[in-house]
Amino acid sequence: MSEQTPVGAPEQPPAAPAPTPAEVFGGKEPAAVPAEPTAAEPAPAGEPPEAAVDYRALYEKAQAEARSLADAAKAADAEAADYKNRLAEMEVSVLRHQEAARVNLPANLAARLQGETPEEIAADARKLAALVVPKPVTGKGGLEPDAPAEHDPEAITRRIRLIEF
């Protein structure tokens, strides 16, 4: 019988012959070509077959590790925030002590200064210093410290003449 092509089907050109190895490698014989790997060979007798890879277990293990790393990152962020807060508190404490020393306040009153900025702390230190720091005692003249000082030389002379010796 002769071959007939179906009606409406395109004619296919005749298949070209496969090239020889000499043609492929430029006229030279190829070195030993490794054989293609064969399908899974059965395990020799007496050895257990290879265990199949459990991808679900690997995925769950990776997910658990990711969760533990995320928890560790959250804990590290919380610890960093705690250290930042402590640092800010210490900076304000140092500012309070410096300002107290500047206006001659006792060190135990430095913690009572109010404010968060240097300007607020300085203003409060000045107010507290006006109330706490004693005024220097200057002599008012005479033997009685509470007596008013006289600055009129004539009045001083009259008082001296009234004193009897």
Side-chain angles (χ1 to χ4, degrees):
M1 287 205 337
S2 70
E3 259 184 86
Q4 294 183 357
T5 57
V7 177
E11 289 188 29
Q12 295 186 3
T20 64
E23 291 173 347
V24 172
F25 293 104
K28 297 179 184 174
E29 283 298 318
V33 178
E36 291 183 14
T38 59
E41 298 175 9
E47 291 184 18
E50 267 187 51
V53 177
D54 187 7
Y55 291 107
R56 179 167 302 283
L58 290 174
Y59 174 77
E60 289 171 358
K61 180 180 177 184
Q63 288 296 323
E65 187 175 330
R67 280 190 296 274
S68 69
L69 290 175
D71 292 342
K74 285 180 185 177
D77 288 343
E79 187 176 358
D82 181 47
Y83 284 126
K84 285 180 183 179
N85 290 337
R86 289 178 52 193
L87 177 63
E89 290 172 5
M90 288 181 185
E91 287 174 345
V92 170
S93 176
V94 167
L95 283 173
R96 287 180 178 148
H97 281 85
Q98 287 175 343
E99 194 59 35
R102 192 178 70 74
V103 296
N104 297 323
L105 279 175
N108 58 353
L109 291 178
R112 296 185 181 266
L113 294 177
Q114 301 295 313
E116 296 295 321
T117 65
E119 295 81 19
E120 293 172 348
I121 293 171
D124 192 46
R126 285 190 300 272
K127 289 178 189 175
L128 188 59
L131 298 173
V132 173
V133 176
K135 305 270 186 215
V137 178
T138 57
K140 296 182 182 179
L143 297 174
E144 300 173 12
D146 295 331
E150 293 184 30
H151 299 290
D152 184 20
E154 291 177 4
I156 294 173
T157 306
R158 272 184 258 136
R159 275 190 46 221
I160 293 175
R161 288 187 183 162
L162 292 175
I163 299 175
E164 294 182 19
F165 294 101

